[in-house]
Amino acid sequence: MSDMGLVVVGAAGRMGQTLIRAIHTMPGARVAGAVERPGSPYLGKDAGELAGIGIVNVPISDDPLPAFAKADGVLDFTAPAATVEFAGYAAQARIAHVIGTTGCSADDNAAIAAAARHATIVKSGNMSLGVNLLAVLVEQAAKALDAEDFDIEILEMHHRHKVDAPSGTALLLGEAAAAGRGIELTGNDVRVRDGHTGVRKTGTIGFATLRGGSVVGDHSVVLAGTGERITLAHHAEDRAIFARGAVKAALWARGKKPGLYSMRDVLGLA
Ligand SMILES: NC(=O)C1=CN([C@@H]2O[C@H](COP(=O)(O)OP(=O)(O)OC[C@H]3O[C@@H](n4cnc5c(N)ncnc54)[C@H](OP(=O)(O)O)[C@@H]3O)[C@@H](O)[C@H]2O)C=CC1
Ligand SMILES: O=C(O)C1=N[C@H](C(=O)O)C[C@H](O)C1
């Protein structure tokens, strides 16, 4: 089989550049296109040169349609509105769409699920092996430890440029904890505490967000009981872990029937 042609949307971004470098080093994939928004100062620049790997003869374009038409898949770490638009185009082109974008609303997720009727979509708040394994462990711990005895709190820290909170990973870990407890996260989540909050409500899952500096991504899940505390944590040191996961997801998705898949499916952790 020929190498899988991948279009990187948001190619000039932090993850976009990391994805271009990852595709370059991973067998079975090639950069087939690079897209940025109209008016971007990076239009026309070579995607490889911008990512620091030398010229790959893929100029950054503001037109996704011709790029998608000649590709096998899309790697998308952009912004929610852009991702919804790209999901529609990927569905039209019947190609794989790997979505790392976080901060999607319920409406965004519904539009992405609709696109998955025609496109093979892999979507995850975190594409790394470590975090997806952590989610499995969190689910097990939440199941093993009774809600009456152990409170669950999720703490995350990211770089100063991050625009959404809680992080997609924190929410993924919250979903895992909720699944372990046999409850829905929505309605049992506590995302903000301020002022006179009253005592902690049993069974809720709390979130705390820190932003600053250049932190790639730190997540801790604390299971706090009376007299003891368990902390399960992951520290991302390099965005390459997300990019390699995304390329792996695209290669996995190639030829799979349309649908909405997660990194747990890709990694065999489902
Ligand atoms: N799931 C995972 O494993 C990970 C997810 N992420 C998520 O990925 C997303 C991007 O993160 P990051 O790379 O740090 O952010 P950046 O802001 O560095 O990159 C996003 C890029 O997408 C571009 N973009 C936005 N809208 C469009 C559009 N309509 N068409 C084309 N390009 C567009 C931006 O351009 P412009 O600057 O002009 O807006 C920018 O270049 C975030 O949601 C983040 O949370 C990040 C790391 C890992
Ligand atoms: O914006 C980021 O940088 C990251 N976003 C993802 C998230 O929201 O969890 C994944 C990773 O932690 C980095």
Side-chain angles (χ1 to χ4, degrees):
M1 202 190 290
S2 60
D3 283 353
M4 185 174 190
L6 296 173
V7 177
V8 176
V9 290
R14 280 176 290 275
M15 276 305 298
Q17 293 187 40
T18 314
L19 288 162
I20 299 283
R21 290 193 289 273
I23 296 169
H24 196 62
T25 58
M26 289 177 68
R30 65 183 170 83
V31 182
V35 174
E36 269 293 333
R37 69 164 87 243
S40 164
Y42 301 103
L43 297 181
K45 297 206 184 307
D46 186 86
E49 198 166 28
L50 185 67
I53 54 169
I55 291 175
V56 294
N57 291 314
V58 177
I60 297 178
S61 152
D62 64 1
D63 193 354
L65 290 176
F68 285 24
K70 58 181 172 54
D72 305 301
V74 183
L75 304 183
D76 180 352
F77 290 65
T78 56
T83 292
V84 168
E85 194 181 330
F86 293 136
Y89 298 151
Q92 278 174 40
R94 302 282 197 272
I95 58 175
H97 187 189
V98 176
I99 301 176
T101 306
T102 58
C104 293
S105 66
D107 284 353
D108 295 332
N109 284 327
I112 291 165
R117 289 201 288 267
H118 303 291
T120 306
I121 298 182
V122 180
K123 183 174 185 290
S124 176
N126 196 302
M127 299 279 172
S128 75
L129 172 61
V131 158
N132 284 281
L133 178 61
L134 177 67
V136 173
L137 300 176
V138 166
E139 187 170 333
Q140 288 174 353
K143 189 173 181 180
L145 301 173
D146 201 279
E148 300 293 328
D149 299 327
F150 281 85
D151 302 319
I152 302 179
E153 294 282 314
I154 301 174
L155 173 67
E156 57 112 336
M157 181 162 189
H158 284 85
H159 53 93
R160 62 168 69 99
H161 303 288
K162 187 161 179 61
V163 295
D164 56 306
S167 69
T169 309
L171 293 171
L172 178 159
L173 295 170
E175 293 285 359
R181 286 270 158 94
I183 58 172
E184 293 293 320
L185 180 60
T186 306
N188 289 299
D189 52 338
V190 176
R191 297 189 178 205
V192 181
R193 291 189 182 102
D194 187 27
H196 185 84
T197 61
V199 298
R200 192 181 195 285
K201 189 173 166 211
T202 303
T204 53
I205 297 172
F207 291 86
T209 299
L210 305 179
R211 293 284 176 266
S214 59
V215 178
V216 173
D218 286 351
H219 294 89
S220 302
V221 179
V222 182
L223 297 110
T226 304
E228 60 180 332
R229 200 159 66 242
I230 297 164
T231 304
L232 299 169
H234 180 268
H235 303 282
E237 296 172 356
D238 189 323
R239 288 184 179 84
I241 61 171
F242 313 129
R244 284 198 298 265
V247 176
K248 192 170 179 170
L251 294 171
W252 176 90
R254 192 179 196 184
K256 285 264 179 329
K257 66 176 192 308
L260 185 54
Y261 301 91
S262 72
M263 272 314 273
R264 283 213 208 178
D265 297 313
V266 173
L267 296 169
L269 297 170

